[in-house]
Amino acid sequence: MIKNLLCADFLKIKRKGFWFLTFLGPFGVVALQMVNYGVRKDYLLQQSNDEWGYYILNVSTFTPLALVLGVVILTSFMTSVENETNAWKQLIAFPVTKISVYLSKLTVLALLLFISSFLLMLFTLGFGMILELQGQIPYGKLLKHSFYPYFAVTPVLALQLWIAIVSKNQGVPIAVGVLGVILTYSAYLLPDWMIWKWPSLINEWDEPLINVLLGVGVGSLLYIIGMFDFVRRDVK
Amino acid sequence: MEYILETKELTKRFGKEEAVSKLDMKIKKGEIYGFLGPNGAGKTTTIRILLGLMKPTSGSIRIFQENLDTERISILKRVGSLVENPSYYPHLTAYENLEASRKILEVPKARIQEVLNIVGLSDVTNKKVKGFSLGMKQRLGIANSLMNNPELLILDEPTNGLDPSGIIEIRNLINRLANEAGITILISSHLLSEVDQLATTVGIINKGKLIFQDSIDVMRRYAQQSISIKVNDSEKARNMLFSNGIKTNYENGRILLPELADMEIAEAIRILVESGVSIYRVEEEKRSLEEIFLQMTREEEDD
Ligand SMILES: Nc1ncnc2c1ncn2[C@@H]1O[C@H](COP(=O)(O)OP(=O)(O)OP(=O)(O)O)[C@@H](O)[C@H]1O
Ligand SMILES: [Mg+2]
């Protein structure tokens, strides 16, 4: 059942700009460094002996912001596909469970964001090579900075999806989303427990893996709560 | 009697308001069940509950002799539906819209073209639904409801907002589905005239309560209300009838006999003929079904 729903959901996101956004996010993040390194490459190379490490760090300054922005926009697009002509009633009057409908939506979003993260890795690597940075390519670090934020953003994804799916007024998820983007932008100032801080991979213990594990744990919890709330409610 | 759909004391409350109240709906196989009621009567709410889109506050539903609460998926595999305004994905073509449903329903690809032919949309197969007229969207909605070859079709006001020719088109379509494919159909409307020539059974809901449920023939019997007679001398005629124990009313130059058996009417005519009154016309005054429907829903309000 879930496979069928996934196929249908991938069909429904055609021509809606989902794939373009999936590409635009990581491209934008690396493009900022193209500008940065284009303007003041010599200065930047002097900042550290570890040219690759410093470059990856620069790229990842904007990763959390792009990721949270992507989550907000994609979840909103995703639910608007069904909200537009109130297709929820048609979808759920099919022989499917509400649990699988919800899971399918989440899976599509998670897959798109995963592709984004993968593209981020490719683009980062590609532009780094074009820059002819000195030293060994730190693949471990590259992987970490491309995929850790992806896992750490899970709670934001679960929360946005939940709000977007159950809200009658789509202003609510947009408002929460904008607030989330602002919070992500000010991650340095936030206490460690706030989920919008997690994609930045910063915490008191200086251990990014904590954000990843917390992200997946709390994200799953929020996902389950949202799903049961969706199941419990009458269809819009 | 085996019913294809049967509800028992179905109730749905929104806060304090009871939108559906102790509904006992019964639909037999092969029927076209006209589900009638004025705006806000509870038709859509009932239909949403029947499709598992809403949970009833209390009461039970059996469809195909199975409990909807526990067998929802296996029941819905055999049901097609269209609830309120048609839903569709405007950025997709008619074909893609049905393809999205097809993937979920796991029916063969050929079914898409079949249902498009049935509803007469085969020449716009690859056009985006965005540009469709309301009637075309409605037909696409019906095509969608037919994708899984349903045994029971539930249509909520499928003619809402259509022009007269669109209404007739949909009506013919529904007739064909019932007669040729043998599908049992539940169709809701707030106008009796829309299901009049269609329905075999009528259920009338008002303020959440089912106030009438029987065959359309029984409903029609309510319509044969009185016999009106036009004569040359109404005064004399009425006196003659009255002295023979037949009470009459007088309206617009016609004598009205209340609903009487055939023999009694024959008797009344005989009396008039024998008394030398010239009889110009004897007619059956039919109230239209619409009037009966309105009266039924009004009577409830007076209670
Ligand atoms: N989600 C809801 N929350 C609160 N009240 C509701 C909800 N849905 C329906 N109602 C109320 O239930 C009653 C019945 O509504 P319903 O939509 O079932 O009527 P209807 O017979 O379909 O009317 P119409 O002919 O206008 O479509 C109305 O008074 C409506 O206000
Ligand atoms: Mg309605």
Side-chain angles (χ1 to χ4, degrees):
Chain A
M1 184 193 298
I2 186 71
K3 190 183 126 262
N4 296 340
L5 279 167
L6 272 174
C7 289
D9 273 332
F10 272 110
L11 174 62
K12 290 180 208 167
I13 65 173
K14 240 171 117 170
R15 300 190 201 108
K16 275 284 184 183
F18 282 81
W19 294 105
F20 176 67
L21 276 174
T22 302
F23 163 84
L24 186 68
F27 180 78
V29 168
V30 176
L32 282 171
Q33 294 315 311
M34 293 182 186
V35 174
N36 198 7
Y37 276 80
V39 173
R40 43 176 197 166
K41 182 177 176 187
D42 295 337
Y43 165 78
L44 288 168
L45 292 184
Q46 283 163 19
Q47 298 306 302
S48 164
N49 291 329
D50 180 9
E51 289 184 1
W52 267 102
Y54 187 66
Y55 161 72
I56 290 172
L57 215 61
N58 273 325
V59 172
S60 61
T61 339
F62 293 101
T63 307
L65 204 61
L67 202 52
V68 171
L69 204 58
V71 165
V72 172
I73 296 175
L74 288 178
T75 44
S76 158
F77 272 29
M78 195 72 200
T79 47
S80 81
V81 167
E82 305 291 348
N83 281 333
E84 199 168 353
T85 63
N86 196 6
W88 291 109
K89 57 180 163 62
Q90 181 178 294
L91 178 58
I92 294 167
F94 282 138
V96 293
T97 62
K98 286 171 96 179
I99 289 183
S100 53
V101 167
Y102 197 87
L103 178 61
S104 173
K105 297 286 177 204
L106 181 92
T107 309
V108 172
L109 291 168
L111 275 171
L112 291 175
L113 291 166
F114 188 85
I115 294 169
S116 272
S117 302
F118 184 73
L119 288 177
L120 177 66
M121 187 183 72
L122 287 188
F123 294 159
T124 310
L125 183 65
F127 186 58
M129 284 170 156
I130 291 171
L131 282 175
E132 295 182 325
L133 298 173
Q134 296 302 307
Q136 283 280 316
I137 298 173
Y139 286 107
K141 192 164 189 161
L142 185 63
L143 276 171
K144 254 190 211 174
H145 280 273
S146 301
F147 289 104
Y148 275 17
Y150 167 76
F151 291 108
V153 87
T154 316
V156 180
L157 173 61
L159 184 72
Q160 286 293 143
L161 183 67
W162 177 18
I163 298 174
I165 284 192
V166 301
S167 295
K168 290 220 166 70
N169 178 354
Q170 285 308 298
V172 180
I174 299 290
V176 174
V178 169
L179 187 72
V181 170
I182 294 170
L183 289 174
T184 307
Y185 185 70
S186 17
Y188 282 93
L189 309 170
L190 297 181
D192 276 348
W193 58 264
M194 291 202 80
I195 56 174
W196 293 277
K197 184 177 186 173
W198 300 354
S200 67
L201 305 182
I202 349 172
N203 58 45
E204 205 183 310
W205 307 276
D206 213 12
E207 178 48 74
L209 202 58
I210 293 179
N211 294 24
V212 170
L213 297 176
L214 263 178
V216 173
V218 173
S220 308
L221 195 69
L222 278 173
Y223 164 71
I224 289 167
I225 295 173
M227 184 181 72
F228 279 110
D229 185 43
F230 175 65
V231 169
R232 183 186 60 85
R233 283 171 194 257
D234 289 340
V235 176
K236 275 189 261 188
Chain B
M1 182 68 225
E2 284 197 356
Y3 294 104
I4 221 168
L5 186 152
E6 188 176 14
T7 71
K8 283 216 176 82
E9 307 226 318
L10 193 67
T11 301
K12 176 75 180 180
R13 239 174 262 130
F14 294 113
K16 275 195 174 158
E17 185 201 4
E18 243 176 40
V20 175
S21 184
K22 298 206 168 140
L23 207 71
D24 290 320
M25 185 185 240
K26 294 180 170 69
I27 304 181
K28 287 181 217 148
K29 190 168 163 49
E31 275 185 342
I32 301 183
Y33 185 102
F35 190 35
L36 297 166
N39 291 132
K43 303 180 294 293
T44 301
T45 306
T46 306
I47 285 174
R48 281 173 169 266
I49 296 172
L50 294 178
L51 294 169
L53 298 174
M54 273 182 177
K55 296 210 171 63
T57 309
S58 63
S60 67
I61 301 155
R62 293 182 76 78
I63 300 179
F64 307 128
Q65 316 281 315
E66 286 183 302
N67 189 341
L68 181 71
D69 207 29
T70 52
E71 309 295 327
R72 184 173 160 271
I73 302 280
S74 75
I75 289 172
L76 289 181
K77 278 187 182 152
R78 304 158 67 187
V79 175
S81 65
L82 176 61
V83 183
E84 282 188 310
N85 314 316
S87 297
Y88 51 91
Y89 304 103
H91 60 290
L92 300 180
T93 65
Y95 187 91
E96 288 166 337
N97 264 277
L98 297 174
E99 173 68 6
S101 307
R102 189 199 70 80
K103 286 189 158 133
I104 296 171
L105 295 165
E106 294 183 306
V107 290
K109 270 205 152 84
R111 184 66 185 159
I112 297 177
Q113 212 55 60
E114 273 172 36
V115 295
L116 283 171
N117 287 338
I118 293 175
V119 301
L121 285 180
S122 36
D123 18 322
V124 289
T125 304
N126 292 314
K127 291 233 166 68
K128 283 194 196 154
V129 180
K130 206 183 295 183
F132 279 21
S133 72
L134 182 61
M136 290 160 84
K137 286 170 183 166
Q138 207 87 16
R139 279 186 283 161
L140 180 67
I142 295 180
N144 197 39
S145 71
L146 295 173
M147 279 300 287
N148 58 339
N149 258 312
E151 292 162 55
L152 172 65
L153 193 56
I154 298 181
L155 305 172
D156 186 18
E157 307 216 25
T159 52
N160 205 2
L162 297 188
D163 59 17
S165 76
I167 292 176
I168 292 170
E169 229 173 81
I170 300 248
R171 190 187 291 156
N172 291 341
L173 174 60
I174 290 170
N175 236 333
R176 261 189 2 249
L177 290 171
N179 296 332
E180 290 166 22
I183 306 174
T184 308
I185 298 175
L186 164 62
I187 173 173
S188 84
S189 175
H190 57 270
L191 287 175
L192 179 64
S193 56
E194 279 188 351
V195 298
D196 186 0
Q197 295 111 313
L198 210 58
T200 53
T201 305
V202 180
I204 297 180
I205 186 175
N206 191 34
K207 298 195 162 166
K209 293 200 185 78
L210 203 59
I211 55 175
F212 177 89
Q213 179 172 244
D214 213 322
S215 74
I216 188 100
D217 295 331
V218 172
M219 176 114 187
R220 287 220 173 90
R221 236 168 275 150
Y222 279 84
Q224 298 160 5
Q225 195 58 13
S226 58
I227 301 290
S228 95
I229 304 174
K230 195 170 180 198
V231 296
N232 61 340
D233 187 345
S234 301
E235 187 84 3
K236 183 178 170 197
R238 290 192 71 194
N239 285 335
M240 285 307 300
L241 291 172
F242 188 71
S243 57
N244 281 281
I246 302 172
K247 286 196 190 115
T248 59
N249 288 316
Y250 188 68
E251 207 176 81
N252 298 332
R254 284 162 191 261
I255 299 168
L256 296 178
L257 296 177
E259 210 174 353
L260 292 173
D262 289 349
M263 283 316 294
E264 292 168 274
I265 289 168
E267 171 73 8
I269 302 288
R270 195 184 54 77
I271 292 166
L272 290 179
V273 170
E274 282 174 3
S275 64
V277 176
S278 305
I279 302 173
Y280 298 154
R281 276 174 178 68
V282 179
E283 286 162 340
E284 199 171 44
E285 289 266 305
K286 277 201 174 185
R287 283 189 302 163
S288 75
L289 285 181
E290 207 65 50
E291 278 173 295
I292 302 170
F293 171 48
L294 281 174
Q295 191 188 328
M296 277 181 178
T297 49
R298 225 180 289 126
E299 271 166 11
E300 278 290 305
E301 253 152 68
D302 296 340
D303 290 349

